[in-house]
Amino acid sequence: MPYSKDIYLRAERILEKRRDKADNEAERRSEEIRKKLPEIDEIQRQLSQIGIEISQIFFYKGDDVQGKVDELREKSKALVAKRNTILTSNGYGEDALKPEYVCPVCEDKGFVNGKLCSCHRQLLKDIMREEVSRFAPLGDCTFDNFSLDYYSSEPLENAVVPRLRAEKVYDAAMRYAQGFTQNSKSLLFLGSTGLGKTHLSLAIANVVINKGYSVCYGTSYNICEDLRAEMFGRDEKAKYTASDVLDTDLLILDDLGSEVINQYNIATIYNIVNSRILAGKPTIISTNYELDELREKYDQRITSRITGEYVMMTLFGSDIRNLK
């Protein structure tokens, strides 16, 4: 599940700060305790000496090596018990001399036995969520707060009932999100302005991020502008790179048609759509245009790939933002 290099680096920096904070606080606390309770310092010295003696025993041949080790360990247990009694009787916890890591399992290293710790995985998800939230109201767009109340129950001229259609699209989107894998199909949300296309796209993103996949969200306009800037070396302020767009597990290309329609942008859209299809990577596209309008605006190579490879979900009704 390829997160960007930046996300991995941000996670590493957070873990490093957590370790440093825990270690520094433990050192400060230890100095305070040793000044206040000198006997603790002596116990710590004796425990260190026992550790050295146990390690040295295994380098020498002799009788009853295990017996000597057991004897030293019993002595160590007695010293630990004595230390704990002194600490607790003076208002400290038994582990007051140890660093208090955010994750005691990996001690904020991020790995356990060479594998990613669950805390590291969660941190990557949190950073991924923050990244998407920079460009979209991710926290406000969930399946739980998607309301069907704004869709009319009256049939339209084409006999479609907006609320029934919205309910079907909602159910399909939820199933898609829950069963998402890197090999999921791509989706095309169609419908006029303000019908919940972006809301459902971001609701899917919420679930997909929670499953540990990477997500890149952007409007067609912003992505095209940034990829143009990257191509011509003017990407100092760019929010999206070709790697972000092409390599992410799920790309959400919102508001297709908002970009300036020129040869460069058409080629950019084609490259995004085609490259992700060839790589088997799912994409969610939303647009306010109907299929016939898209065919007029774009090269047939784009529309034929979208209509041939994407699952279409069409919403009907009035602009929900105006109704609200």
Side-chain angles (χ1 to χ4, degrees), residues 258-286:
S258 62
E259 76 284 357
V260 177
I261 301 301
N262 55 37
Q263 288 303 310
Y264 174 82
N265 286 344
I266 290 175
T268 298
I269 297 297
Y270 171 76
N271 182 52
I272 292 170
V273 170
N274 190 57
S275 295
R276 290 187 63 82
I277 288 174
L278 293 177
K281 291 180 175 292
T283 303
I284 296 176
I285 293 177
S286 71

Side-chain angles (χ1 to χ4, degrees), residues 98-116:
K98 298 179 181 178
E100 296 178 356
Y101 295 110
V102 173
C103 179
V105 178
C106 70
E107 296 183 342
D108 295 340
K109 296 182 180 72
F111 293 88
V112 179
N113 297 325
K115 296 182 179 179
L116 215 62

Side-chain angles (χ1 to χ4, degrees), residues 239-255:
K239 302 178 181 69
Y240 304 97
T241 66
S243 177
D244 294 333
V245 172
L246 298 179
D247 296 341
T248 186
D249 293 324
L250 174 64
L251 170 66
I252 299 177
L253 186 65
D254 202 13
D255 207 8

Side-chain angles (χ1 to χ4, degrees), residues 119-145:
C119 76
H120 197 165
R121 293 182 187 278
Q122 186 58 51
L123 186 56
L124 290 168
K125 293 178 188 179
D126 292 342
I127 296 172
M128 183 76 263
R129 185 175 300 282
E130 290 175 5
E131 186 66 16
V132 175
S133 296
R134 290 172 56 203
F135 312 115
L138 186 64
D140 297 331
C141 297
T142 67
F143 285 112
D144 289 338
N145 64 16

